[in-house]
Amino acid sequence: MLSNQLHNGLETAKLLWSRIPNSEDGEVDGGSLLRNSNGNTVESLDYEVIENYAYREEQAQRGKLYVGYYVAVKWFLALLTGIGTGLAAVFINISVENFAGWKFALTFSIIQRSYFAGFVIYVLINLILVFSSVYIVTHFAPAAAGSGIPEIKGYLNGLDIHGILLFRTLIGKIFGSIGSVGGGLALGKEGPLVHTGACIASLLGQGGSSKYHLSSRWLQVFKSDRDRRDLVTCGCAAGVAAAFRAPVGGVLFALEEVTSWWRSQLMWRVFFTSAIVAVVVRTAMGWCKSGKCGHFGSGGFIIWDTSDGQEDYSFEELLPMAVIGVIGGLLGALFNQLTFHITYWRRNYLHKKGNRVKIIEACLISVITSAISFGLPLLRKCNPCPESDHDSGIECPRPPGMYGNYVNFYCGKDKEYNDLATIFFNTQDDAIRNLFSAKTIHEFSAQSLLTFLVMFYTLAVVTFGTAVPAGQFVPGIMIGSTYGRLVGMFVVNFYKNLNVEEGTYALLGAASFLGGSMRMTVSLCVIMVEITNNLKLLPLIMLVLLISKAVGDAFNEGFYEQQARLKGIALLESRPKYQMRNMMAKEVCRNQKVVSFPRIVKVADAVSILQSNLHNGFPVIDHVRNGETLVIGLVLRSHLLVLLQSKVDFQHSPLPCDPAGVSKSIRHNFSEFVKPVSSKGISIEDIHLSSDDLEMYIDLAPVLNPSPYVVPEDMSLTKVYNLFRQLGLRHIFVVPRASRVVGMITREDLLIEDSEDPASVELHSTSVRGHRQYSMISRNVDVERPLLNGLLLQDHMLG
């Protein structure tokens, strides 16, 4: 009977395995998802407002009521982002805690009879959870692998990486995190929560998901990448606030680490979103404390209260605390370098062999991790429980299957505990809580802490990069708190008379490793204070963060910057490179062949240019009376494709149909030119034109941007870089030095009072007129009309 069941089980497993494809079919995996320009997958975002005539006409039609509605929708979407991210975090934490609680409760009950049977059950449960996670990622949501923070950082830096903000990526991130974290891998759920918040914000910004019929027309208000970028920034802050219950830390994390552009108005909405998350999480935790959420409630969200720990510190302790900062910088830099090389090898060699190899790799790492976490505590001798302190509330040994200190694992007596099992055979949140705990001096031995440090450090390096959602916040805290506690033990033994708590040094070690690896300072400092609820340690955390970051910067880049570079995400850093100081704008584009459009372009020529070039923006030129060419604006590829697809702008004549009243010839709404968030938009291959259509003409004047950003050819590349990054541009025209100056604007010219009529405001500009041939009419055209309007007016007068 048993043999038949075993045979049937093996046949079923073989059948399921045969259905796993050996290579990707149709979907783009994490390795090819972030291809560079050669793969044509990563493009830039248009954060600049395209002020064409369609945009100006729409702005002119907007009244105060619509503007109020627009602002109200922004705040309402920020509210929904906070609520959605908070609920997603609660769901992930409840699921992880319950899976882990059932796993440990079942294992503890079985090992009372047989440790081997308990080991088998423990490995199988972890294996099932990890297999579910890697299967979801490889077959449903390839973009959900990893933490997602480098991808989101690239998006907020101006890169349009297809697939990272889709609905299926959100689902894969949530359920994949439950499987990978619940399965006991050496990774965390905090990084994926940042990606989860960004996905929720992006979906709300586009009104939902039209593919899965979960969209609302009332929420489809955001029509620019700039507004969507701001909402995604709110989602990132909400993810950190939900992960660490640190709303202020979430705001600072978005400001310091992920976003590249910041405004004071955005600060209000980000702060509001983080506050909503804090309320949602606090409400859920209060509701779960009554026992309605299974094993969740007492453990759950990261909150390590160390307010009852060390009250003060002395001058003698500053030296070992500085040593902790140095150790954090060295180990953090080494961690970045090891993960970089292993991830490079994994992406370029191992993962190219297909999904089956990814699944085998994740399952193999799961088995190794389970064997280490279960087997190593068996090799340690148990220690007798210390004398119980009723005021501390710490029980030794703890009840089987419950969280807390002093785990009785493979001990011969009842009043004994296994210090290595206290941190190994536990959830990561509970293990960190044990390492941070005060009033538990001599709970851990130096041999156990050193063993755990070496093994968990190795597991964290090897595990990161597998095809599962993986964050590095909690593993970094685990590693840092271990060697921090080791230093604390040394300080306790060396300074006999000082009131030293080992848990305080564990906290400083966690901060030092995160600072040495991720290179964050202000946001990380606030997060550590918020999750420990101990403001007294703020100066010490600042000290170790500054030292660890300085040491780490001496060796390599931060963790997220290295991973972004490895994935081909071309980030524009906050400062230009030093060699740009000696370069000019014309040197960068010296070898370029500028492809431009005339104002009246033949359809066949437009199609030919779009097919032979992959550029997103094209200069539009026209001729003035003396025969010279004049740049009149910038036209985007996406706008040209809309014109070609609709065909309503086609005309038989190669002359402007209405040169004096261009706005009357506009046949499109501004919303027609908005690129969808969840798709790549229209491509030239999707447009089908007849031979008669190809002989027609298009007047590009109504759709081009008449005021693109222009720099002189001899401007230093440093100034061009700063202008490009600070304004969030996608294109800058490099032109010869201008021949004349129309005017000069100073600070006084921009100080316009709200009560003043814009039509009556006189700009106090200094006009420079070098030639008398410019009449009063031409001066009015130059000053009061845009360049394109003046050109069209001249053509009309000549006609």
Side-chain angles (χ1 to χ4, degrees):
M1 184 71 176
L2 181 61
S3 61
N4 292 335
Q5 292 180 355
L6 181 61
H7 178 73
N8 294 335
L10 291 176
E11 291 297 329
T12 304
K14 291 179 180 179
L15 179 61
L16 290 174
W17 183 257
S18 64
R19 293 180 179 178
I20 298 176
N22 193 29
S23 60
E24 296 80 351
D25 298 326
E27 292 291 344
V28 186
D29 75 332
S32 59
L33 173 71
L34 298 172
R35 292 175 295 180
N36 52 21
S37 58
N38 296 328
N40 304 324
T41 300
V42 176
E43 295 183 357
S44 299
L45 293 165
D46 292 301
Y47 288 155
E48 179 190 1
V49 177
I50 307 301
E51 296 181 344
N52 55 23
Y53 284 97
Y55 172 80
R56 293 178 180 177
E57 190 175 70
E58 183 186 76
Q59 294 294 316
Q61 294 175 356
R62 288 183 176 181
K64 292 184 177 180
L65 182 62
Y66 184 85
V67 174
Y69 169 74
Y70 190 72
V71 174
V73 168
K74 284 186 175 182
W75 284 94
F76 180 65
L77 292 181
L79 172 66
L80 293 182
T81 300
I83 295 175
T85 306
L87 293 178
V90 170
F91 175 73
I92 292 174
N93 278 275
I94 289 177
S95 302
V96 169
E97 287 292 318
N98 278 283
F99 277 124
W102 295 330
K103 175 180 65 179
F104 286 116
L106 180 60
T107 304
F108 270 107
S109 63
I110 293 178
I111 62 177
Q112 304 301 323
R113 298 184 295 270
S114 172
Y115 272 87
F116 179 76
F119 170 73
V120 172
I121 295 298
Y122 180 73
V123 171
L124 286 178
I125 295 176
N126 285 337
L127 187 60
I128 292 172
L129 290 172
V130 173
F131 176 81
S132 66
S133 175
V134 68
Y135 191 89
I136 289 172
V137 169
T138 53
H139 292 80
F140 180 68
S147 68
I149 293 181
E151 290 84 351
I152 299 302
K153 188 172 182 178
Y155 176 85
L156 295 178
N157 194 258
L159 290 175
D160 186 9
I161 306 170
H162 180 66
I164 65 170
L165 297 174
L166 299 181
F167 179 73
R168 69 169 179 265
T169 303
L170 171 64
I171 299 300
K173 209 74 177 183
I174 292 175
F175 289 96
S177 298
I178 294 172
S180 60
V181 178
L185 293 180
L187 44 83
K189 56 184 178 295
E190 287 66 36
L193 268 175
V194 177
H195 195 177
T196 299
C199 289
I200 293 174
S202 178
L203 290 170
L204 290 173
Q206 61 178 319
S209 176
S210 57
K211 180 179 180 180
Y212 297 97
H213 306 289
L214 299 173
S215 59
S216 173
R217 184 169 56 88
W218 297 99
L219 298 178
Q220 295 175 357
V221 179
F222 290 172
K223 299 177 181 179
S224 67
D225 289 332
R226 178 178 297 184
D227 291 333
R228 294 167 180 166
R229 173 196 69 193
D230 292 346
L231 192 59
V232 170
T233 304
C234 294
C236 292
V240 176
F244 296 101
R245 288 181 58 197
V248 180
V251 177
L252 295 176
F253 176 83
L255 172 62
E256 180 182 7
E257 184 62 25
V258 293
T259 188
S260 299
W261 298 283
W262 196 263
R263 304 193 310 275
S264 58
Q265 299 92 336
L266 180 60
M267 173 77 80
W268 278 97
R269 290 202 300 275
V270 172
F271 186 77
F272 171 73
T273 307
S274 300
I276 294 299
V277 172
V279 172
V280 172
V281 172
R282 174 68 67 178
T283 304
M285 290 191 65
W287 185 72
C288 288
K289 282 184 178 179
S290 59
K292 299 177 181 179
C293 302
H295 291 271
F296 179 80
S298 299
F301 281 90
I302 297 177
I303 180 70
W304 304 300
D305 194 340
T306 61
S307 57
D308 59 345
Q310 186 170 336
E311 294 291 337
D312 200 1
Y313 52 91
S314 60
F315 181 77
E316 291 87 348
E317 294 181 74
L318 294 181
L319 179 59
M321 291 175 182
V323 172
I324 289 179
V326 174
I327 296 174
L330 294 175
L331 291 182
L334 179 62
F335 183 85
N336 293 356
Q337 204 65 29
L338 292 176
T339 52
F340 178 84
H341 290 298
I342 292 178
T343 306
Y344 177 83
W345 171 80
R346 180 180 276 134
R347 289 172 59 87
N348 291 277
Y349 299 99
L350 187 63
H351 284 181
K352 286 188 175 182
K353 298 180 180 180
N355 283 339
R356 183 179 293 180
V357 174
K358 296 179 182 179
I359 295 175
I360 294 175
E361 178 198 25
C363 293
L364 183 61
I365 292 177
S366 173
V367 173
I368 295 174
T369 304
S370 301
I372 291 176
S373 60
F374 192 97
L376 281 182
L378 299 177
L379 305 178
R380 284 291 301 170
K381 293 182 179 180
C382 293
N383 300 322
C385 288
E387 296 182 2
S388 60
D389 185 3
H390 298 287
D391 296 332
S392 65
I394 299 176
E395 184 179 357
C396 181
R398 75 176 193 187
M402 299 296 291
Y403 82 99
N405 300 72
Y406 303 111
V407 176
N408 186 298
F409 185 81
Y410 202 63
C411 298
K413 299 179 181 180
D414 293 337
K415 286 297 181 179
E416 289 184 341
Y417 73 98
N418 191 319
D419 60 343
L420 194 56
T422 302
I423 47 179
F424 246 135
F425 200 65
N426 224 329
T427 62
Q428 292 181 2
D429 289 357
D430 294 339
I432 295 172
R433 189 176 290 107
N434 296 338
L435 290 169
F436 280 4
S437 62
K439 313 301 181 186
T440 55
I441 299 179
H442 308 304
E443 177 184 1
F444 303 100
S445 64
Q447 295 85 353
S448 296
L449 290 177
L450 191 60
T451 302
F452 178 80
L453 175 63
V454 173
M455 297 308 301
F456 193 83
Y457 191 96
T458 305
L459 288 174
V461 169
V462 174
T463 305
F464 187 83
T466 53
V468 294
Q472 285 305 111
F473 273 102
V474 170
I477 294 175
M478 291 273 288
I479 295 170
S481 58
T482 305
Y483 68 75
R485 186 113 186 172
L486 275 170
V487 176
M489 293 173 60
F490 170 78
V491 174
V492 169
N493 295 327
F494 189 79
Y495 300 111
K496 300 292 185 180
N497 298 326
L498 294 179
N499 183 21
V500 178
E501 288 286 353
E502 297 175 2
T504 302
Y505 285 83
L507 168 65
L508 297 180
S512 69
F513 185 83
L514 292 178
S517 175
M518 300 179 183
R519 313 292 160 78
M520 296 186 297
T521 53
V522 180
S523 59
L524 185 58
C525 182
V526 173
I527 288 174
M528 297 302 295
V529 171
E530 286 187 284
I531 63 179
T532 56
N533 194 25
N534 194 339
L535 193 61
K536 299 176 183 177
L537 301 178
L538 179 61
L540 303 181
I541 297 175
M542 295 173 64
L543 173 67
V544 298
L545 280 176
L546 290 173
I547 295 176
S548 62
K549 176 175 168 54
V551 173
D553 286 338
F555 293 94
N556 49 37
E557 296 177 301
F559 180 78
Y560 295 129
E561 286 75 13
Q562 279 198 339
Q563 294 298 318
R565 181 159 53 88
L566 182 63
K567 295 179 178 181
I569 304 174
L571 297 176
L572 290 179
E573 300 297 335
S574 57
R575 293 186 300 176
K577 301 295 183 182
Y578 180 80
Q579 55 267 30
M580 290 184 179
R581 299 181 179 182
N582 301 321
M583 300 175 64
M584 293 185 292
K586 63 180 180 181
E587 298 180 28
V588 180
C589 53
R590 176 179 296 168
N591 298 325
Q592 293 181 1
K593 182 180 179 182
V594 180
V595 180
S596 58
F597 280 94
R599 175 189 163 183
I600 311 297
V601 62
K602 192 175 182 179
V603 174
D605 296 337
V607 173
S608 176
I609 291 176
L610 293 178
Q611 289 177 341
S612 58
N613 295 276
L614 300 177
H615 305 310
N616 177 73
F618 300 90
V620 180
I621 61 175
D622 206 346
H623 297 275
V624 294
R625 283 184 296 177
N626 56 4
E628 294 181 358
T629 59
L630 183 66
V631 179
I632 61 174
L634 168 72
V635 63
L636 297 183
R637 182 186 191 91
S638 57
H639 293 187
L640 287 171
L641 293 174
V642 171
L643 298 182
L644 293 176
Q645 188 182 51
S646 64
K647 303 180 183 180
V648 297
D649 297 277
F650 289 3
Q651 61 186 40
H652 294 280
S653 172
L655 300 175
C657 58
D658 190 10
V662 177
S663 60
K664 298 180 181 178
S665 63
I666 298 176
R667 303 179 179 90
H668 301 275
N669 295 324
F670 182 72
S671 58
E672 297 181 41
F673 300 109
V674 177
K675 176 187 172 183
V677 178
S678 58
S679 66
K680 296 182 179 179
I682 311 172
S683 64
I684 189 63
E685 289 77 13
D686 301 329
I687 299 175
H688 305 284
L689 300 172
S690 63
S691 57
D692 295 335
D693 294 333
L694 295 176
E695 298 299 322
M696 305 285 279
Y697 295 88
I698 304 177
D699 187 356
L700 301 181
V703 298
L704 60 84
N705 181 10
S707 55
Y709 287 90
V710 178
V711 298
E713 60 181 355
D714 55 351
M715 177 181 283
S716 69
L717 193 58
T718 300
K719 296 181 67 175
V720 176
Y721 184 95
N722 291 329
L723 178 68
F724 197 95
R725 189 183 187 278
Q726 292 174 8
L727 296 180
L729 303 181
R730 187 171 183 178
H731 309 95
I732 288 184
F733 285 172
V734 179
V735 299
R737 181 163 292 279
S739 59
R740 63 189 181 92
V741 179
V742 174
M744 183 179 294
I745 296 178
T746 62
R747 179 185 293 268
E748 296 178 357
D749 304 319
L750 302 177
L751 298 177
I752 302 175
E753 299 294 336
D754 294 336
S755 59
E756 296 183 12
D757 184 8
S760 63
V761 175
E762 180 181 0
L763 292 179
H764 304 286
S765 56
T766 305
S767 299
V768 181
R769 305 294 184 189
H771 302 281
R772 296 184 57 86
Q773 66 262 27
Y774 295 105
S775 63
M776 189 67 183
I777 297 178
S778 66
R779 286 202 301 269
N780 290 338
V781 169
D782 289 337
V783 177
E784 299 178 3
R785 295 177 180 270
L787 176 62
L788 183 58
N789 278 10
L791 182 63
L792 296 176
L793 182 60
Q794 291 177 9
D795 291 343
H796 182 60
M797 293 172 61
L798 291 175

